[in-house]
Amino acid sequence: MTKLTIFVFLSILFSSSSYSWPNRTHIDDFLQCLTHKMKNSNSISQVIHTPKNSSYSDLFNSFFSDNQRINSNFKPSIIFTPTKESQIKAAIHCSKMHDLQIRIRSGGHDHEGLSYTSDTPFFIIDLRNLRSISIDTRKKTAWVQAGATIGELYYRIAERSKKLAFPAGVCPNVGVGGHFSGGGYGMLARKFGIAADNVIDAKLIDANGRIQDRESMGEDHFWAIRGGGGTSFGLIISYKIKLVDIPEKVTVFNVTRMLEQNATHLVYKWQHIADKVDDSLLLRLFLRSNISSPFKRGQRSIHAIFFTLFVGGVDELLREMQNIFPELELRKEDCVEMSWIESIIFFYIGYPKGTSPDVLLNWNTTTKKRLYFKLKSDYVQHPISIKGIEGIWKLYNKLGENAGAELQFSPYGGKLSEIAESETPFPHRAGNKFIIEYAAFWVKMENSKKSIEWSRKTYRYMGKYVSKSPRAAYFNYRDVDLGVNNINGNTSYEQARIWGVKYFKNNFDRLVKIKTKIDPTNFFRNEQSIPPLLS
Ligand SMILES: Cc1cc2nc3c(=O)[nH]c(=O)nc-3n(C[C@H](O)[C@H](O)[C@H](O)COP(=O)(O)OP(=O)(O)OC[C@H]3O[C@@H](n4cnc5c(N)ncnc54)[C@H](O)[C@@H]3O)c2cc1C
Ligand SMILES: *[C@@H]1O[C@H](CO)[C@@H](O)[C@H](O)[C@H]1NC(C)=O
Ligand SMILES: *[C@@H]1O[C@H](CO)[C@@H](O)[C@H](O)[C@H]1NC(C)=O
Ligand SMILES: *[C@@H]1O[C@H](CO)[C@@H](O)[C@H](O)[C@H]1NC(C)=O
Ligand SMILES: *[C@@H]1O[C@H](CO)[C@@H](O)[C@H](O)[C@H]1NC(C)=O
Ligand SMILES: *[C@@H]1O[C@H](CO)[C@@H](O)[C@H](O)[C@H]1NC(C)=O
Ligand SMILES: *[C@@H]1O[C@H](CO)[C@@H](O)[C@H](O)[C@H]1NC(C)=O
Ligand SMILES: *[C@@H]1O[C@H](CO)[C@@H](O)[C@H](O)[C@H]1NC(C)=O
């Protein structure tokens, strides 16, 4: 078990009373520095939130709305919500002067909470006020600031044009800053690649506090921030992206098959076709065991949910499905034609049918539903046998009380396979059939230990069916079980390589080289950032 996970456990056991604040003098010096540096800034009173401000606890609590499991030793000494680049530069300067670590937060969806927790004294630069989006429909490009959510981006694109779109993730509340820098897979990935494949320029603040764009940072640095992960290579202020052409109508469906409806064979067959079908078709598969079933041992119901976007009309889709996957018995009435922006609403489980796309602008509504979850990932290169699939069903029956699980099978192939492994740091290209995301979720803190153990047991079980040497994982599905850096001391290259090659394969070494060149003192860091080589 890793250090971080152990303390996640301890924190769960001892509850939030274990939080502490670091040495006051240290923080006061930092605060003084920041105030001094910003003395000419009129918004200063609105952007610095210390534990004495009532705004602090609202902000702090909002960080945990997505994953209750996350906890940490320290509370942030300051939550800083800059409105201008100059303020960020000031914070970076003072962070260096007074050795107070930074956590950068855009959308806050980091699976392990690394954007807002730390077991070392720290402050947060929260980019919620940097969320502007400007779209050029003629050039089919956009500049989007890191603090915007992908839902807002989608909304603004659709507002300007019904024939343009952008290929990024499904959950609308994910932030641009973390999502694009770590990859960005969504329903258009087989046709247009991941978000990072469609980034054409960027603006960031480097470890020396300088603002850089693609031209001034150079191609190596620009390469690193398109899949090499946020944090390691500077604070990203904005990305320039290339928009893609989309027809005015796309087609979607969501059909469910239970075990009694031959789900096992359908899942088996799906593996043979999902990465090979027309690029316009993305057939996602969710294997879900419901959370509210009666919890009789061995009695869990299993749903295989086929979740699909087709960039085209319903008739063409039905023809394609009849050709490649007749066993699913898809009917015309299962399919709905809609605009791309409506499909964003359709695919996000949080929105009931008929929800207006306007909801995509409500990024700051805190959810009342409190959930704990643990996620892991794997890549599959050869179909899992029927016996292997049946083993997964058996594992579902070993879930603890008040706990559920979902395995998401997301197909690769198409455009994803056409791009070379070294083109961006995101290396999961040709040869991968699909990615599995393992999600264990539960509703009560006391179920934590058992559910986390379940996710690890499932991961062990899957070992023989998935990619090997390295057993690859997707950086944006961050998992600290894969290994972590020693955040206060010096992380050796060998230590980081353990998790690094899983996320980045052969690109890890290039990332280390770039890091060594642009941030040799490891100023920008967290438990899974790329370490510089020590000279
Ligand atoms: C509910 C949910 C749904 C998801 N759906 C998808 C999906 O469909 N497809 C997919 O590919 N992924 C998905 N993810 C994973 C998601 O892409 C990653 O968690 C991503 O890193 C989140 O970005 P963020 O800005 O919201 O998170 P944050 O927690 O703010 O940031 C994530 C990491 O990036 C760093 N970072 C953030 N902003 C910056 C910046 N401006 N400059 C430098 N570093 C920065 C943070 O410090 C942190 O280390 C999902 C996650 C969740 C929780
Ligand atoms: C607190 O920090 C100050 C300044 O950084 C330092 O001089 C002092 O020794 C620290 N005190 C403790 C108890 O760590
Ligand atoms: C926090 O409190 C300080 C001191 O009372 C005040 O000057 C500042 O405006 C407050 N900040 C916010 C964001 O409310
Ligand atoms: C389930 O699917 C398999 C493979 O397509 C097929 O051979 C079998 O007859 C199906 N069983 C049922 C009950 O439909
Ligand atoms: C979960 O499965 C059980 C058993 O099949 C069923 O009775 C129940 O309605 C399901 N619950 C949900 C929320 O789907
Ligand atoms: C897809 O269908 C299943 C089963 O009917 C349902 O539980 C699920 O919520 C649907 N998904 C979405 C995103 O609507
Ligand atoms: C969300 O943002 C809107 C617009 O900025 C604001 O009016 C509203 O009060 C915010 N809601 C919350 C819960 O912060
Ligand atoms: C890290 O390594 C450098 C160079 O070898 C050394 O100067 C420094 O003291 C080390 N820091 C820690 C915390 O071990």
Side-chain angles (χ1 to χ4, degrees):
M1 212 170 10
T2 62
K3 194 174 131 224
L4 194 76
T5 324
I6 291 170
F7 98 44
V8 165
F9 267 121
L10 291 180
S11 310
I12 286 169
L13 291 176
F14 299 119
S15 89
S16 58
S17 61
S18 65
Y19 284 131
S20 63
W21 276 282
N23 186 332
R24 266 315 329 160
T25 328
H26 189 60
I27 304 307
D28 289 345
D29 290 347
F30 172 81
L31 202 54
Q32 219 168 36
C33 172
L34 192 56
T35 322
H36 177 72
K37 273 265 164 194
M38 294 193 359
K39 63 179 182 298
N40 297 324
S41 179
N42 49 17
S43 56
I44 180 167
S45 64
Q46 271 116 60
V47 298
I48 298 174
H49 312 262
T50 74
K52 288 191 192 129
N53 292 110
S54 58
S55 52
Y56 175 95
S57 64
D58 288 345
L59 282 166
F60 185 67
N61 291 331
S62 77
F63 300 159
F64 297 90
S65 61
D66 276 306
N67 193 355
Q68 290 287 295
R69 176 177 61 88
I70 305 302
N71 222 323
S72 73
N73 268 340
F74 288 102
K75 278 191 171 182
S77 306
I78 290 157
I79 302 172
F80 186 55
T81 54
T83 54
K84 299 196 230 348
E85 288 159 10
S86 59
Q87 296 171 343
I88 302 175
K89 285 173 80 166
I92 287 175
H93 170 85
C94 298
S95 161
K96 279 193 158 174
M97 293 283 293
H98 299 284
D99 198 23
L100 186 62
Q101 262 191 46
I102 297 180
R103 292 286 145 136
I104 307 166
R105 183 183 183 277
S106 287
H109 277 63
D110 192 290
H111 288 183
E112 303 282 1
L114 300 193
S115 56
Y116 54 87
T117 59
S118 176
D119 51 358
T120 194
F122 73 113
F123 76 106
I124 294 175
I125 300 184
D126 182 313
L127 298 177
R128 65 184 58 215
N129 292 324
L130 292 175
R131 55 191 325 115
S132 79
I133 296 167
S134 69
I135 292 168
D136 185 332
T137 51
R138 204 175 46 81
K139 291 196 179 127
K140 299 184 185 174
T141 59
W143 274 103
V144 52
Q145 285 190 310
T149 62
I150 57 174
E152 286 175 291
L153 173 64
Y154 296 160
Y155 185 92
R156 295 299 176 203
I157 294 170
E159 188 180 49
R160 295 290 304 281
S161 167
K162 291 187 164 55
K163 292 183 171 171
L164 292 174
F166 188 70
V170 173
C171 174
N173 291 327
V174 162
V176 162
H179 189 65
F180 290 15
S181 56
Y185 176 99
M187 299 304 287
L188 292 173
R190 297 193 67 255
K191 195 166 176 65
F192 300 111
I194 54 168
D197 295 334
N198 294 280
V199 164
I200 51 179
D201 202 344
K203 210 164 148 192
L204 58 73
I205 304 187
D206 71 11
N208 296 315
R210 289 180 307 219
I211 295 185
Q212 308 269 18
D213 65 4
R214 177 175 184 168
E215 200 187 337
S216 66
M217 78 179 83
E219 285 303 302
D220 266 349
H221 195 172
F222 181 61
W223 176 85
I225 57 169
R226 288 175 292 152
T231 300
S232 306
F233 303 97
L235 186 148
I236 292 146
I237 300 166
S238 55
Y239 277 114
K240 184 180 186 184
I241 55 173
K242 176 172 91 217
L243 304 178
V244 301
D245 294 312
I246 199 98
E248 286 191 27
K249 292 284 175 205
V250 298
T251 309
V252 302
F253 69 79
N254 171 17
V255 302
T256 301
R257 298 290 182 259
M258 310 290 289
L259 275 191
E260 306 76 48
Q261 295 168 299
N262 220 358
T264 310
H265 282 275
L266 293 174
V267 172
Y268 181 70
K269 172 76 194 269
W270 175 90
Q271 303 178 88
H272 293 80
I273 54 121
D275 62 316
K276 298 198 181 67
V277 296
D278 190 306
D279 290 5
S280 295
L281 182 55
L282 192 142
L283 261 162
R284 222 170 170 194
L285 173 57
F286 295 170
L287 307 175
R288 197 176 288 169
S289 160
N290 72 10
I291 200 163
S292 48
S293 57
F295 302 112
K296 281 188 221 130
R297 214 174 280 272
Q299 298 301 313
R300 289 238 168 187
S301 72
I302 285 157
H303 312 238
I305 301 171
F306 294 86
F307 215 54
T308 296
L309 174 71
F310 179 63
V311 184
V314 64
D315 295 326
E316 205 186 328
L317 170 61
L318 285 168
R319 267 199 307 278
E320 175 79 358
M321 290 298 290
Q322 187 53 38
N323 238 338
I324 49 136
F325 201 11
E327 299 87 346
L328 187 63
E329 297 179 352
L330 184 72
R331 301 161 310 167
K332 191 164 188 172
E333 50 273 37
D334 296 322
C335 304
V336 193
E337 284 187 349
M338 55 176 66
S339 64
W340 168 69
I341 197 71
E342 286 166 338
S343 80
I344 299 296
I345 302 293
F346 179 85
F347 289 121
Y348 185 56
I349 193 158
Y351 302 141
K353 221 174 167 165
T355 302
S356 157
D358 292 350
V359 72
L360 297 172
L361 300 178
N362 300 346
W363 55 273
N364 62 354
T365 48
T366 39
T367 47
K368 294 226 169 51
K369 203 172 74 187
R370 297 289 183 181
L371 203 63
Y372 299 80
F373 62 79
K374 170 70 196 169
L375 306 173
K376 304 176 81 66
S377 68
D378 257 324
Y379 281 90
V380 177
Q381 298 173 330
H382 307 286
I384 304 165
S385 63
I386 295 275
K387 202 166 147 264
I389 297 167
E390 285 169 348
I392 298 174
W393 308 152
K394 288 199 190 105
L395 279 162
Y396 276 155
N397 287 318
K398 295 210 167 78
L399 276 161
E401 254 184 74
N402 294 312
E406 178 169 287
L407 266 56
Q408 299 189 349
F409 289 9
S410 302
Y412 274 50
K415 179 81 179 180
L416 286 163
S417 293
E418 289 163 20
I419 297 172
E421 275 190 20
S422 59
E423 180 81 21
T424 69
F426 177 94
H428 315 290
R429 306 291 183 173
N432 291 293
K433 285 186 153 304
F434 59 98
I435 184 175
I436 302 179
E437 182 181 36
Y438 307 90
F441 45 93
W442 59 101
V443 287
K444 289 192 180 141
M445 198 168 74
E446 53 268 34
N447 304 124
S448 298
K449 192 163 180 284
K450 186 146 190 201
S451 295
I452 293 171
E453 269 169 19
W454 182 88
S455 82
R456 294 190 180 130
K457 184 173 18 189
T458 303
Y459 187 76
R460 277 197 300 277
Y461 167 78
M462 292 300 290
K464 60 177 173 294
Y465 301 109
V466 299
S467 67
K468 291 169 193 68
S469 323
R471 183 170 180 180
Y474 174 29
F475 180 80
N476 262 349
Y477 292 166
R478 192 198 296 286
D479 176 6
V480 294
D481 293 354
L482 302 180
V484 288
N485 298 344
N486 172 6
I487 190 69
N488 285 319
N490 288 327
T491 291
S492 70
Y493 165 81
E494 286 75 22
Q495 191 185 346
R497 204 169 193 285
I498 296 170
W499 57 263
V501 295
K502 292 178 188 296
Y503 290 138
F504 306 115
K505 297 194 188 172
N506 291 329
N507 294 329
F508 178 70
D509 284 349
R510 184 169 171 200
L511 289 169
V512 170
K513 247 168 99 179
I514 295 166
K515 175 73 175 182
T516 307
K517 193 167 152 220
I518 64 175
D519 184 14
T521 65
N522 205 14
F523 174 69
F524 283 113
R525 66 184 184 275
N526 66 25
E527 288 77 358
Q528 278 188 346
S529 60
I530 306 290
L533 284 175
L534 302 172
S535 51

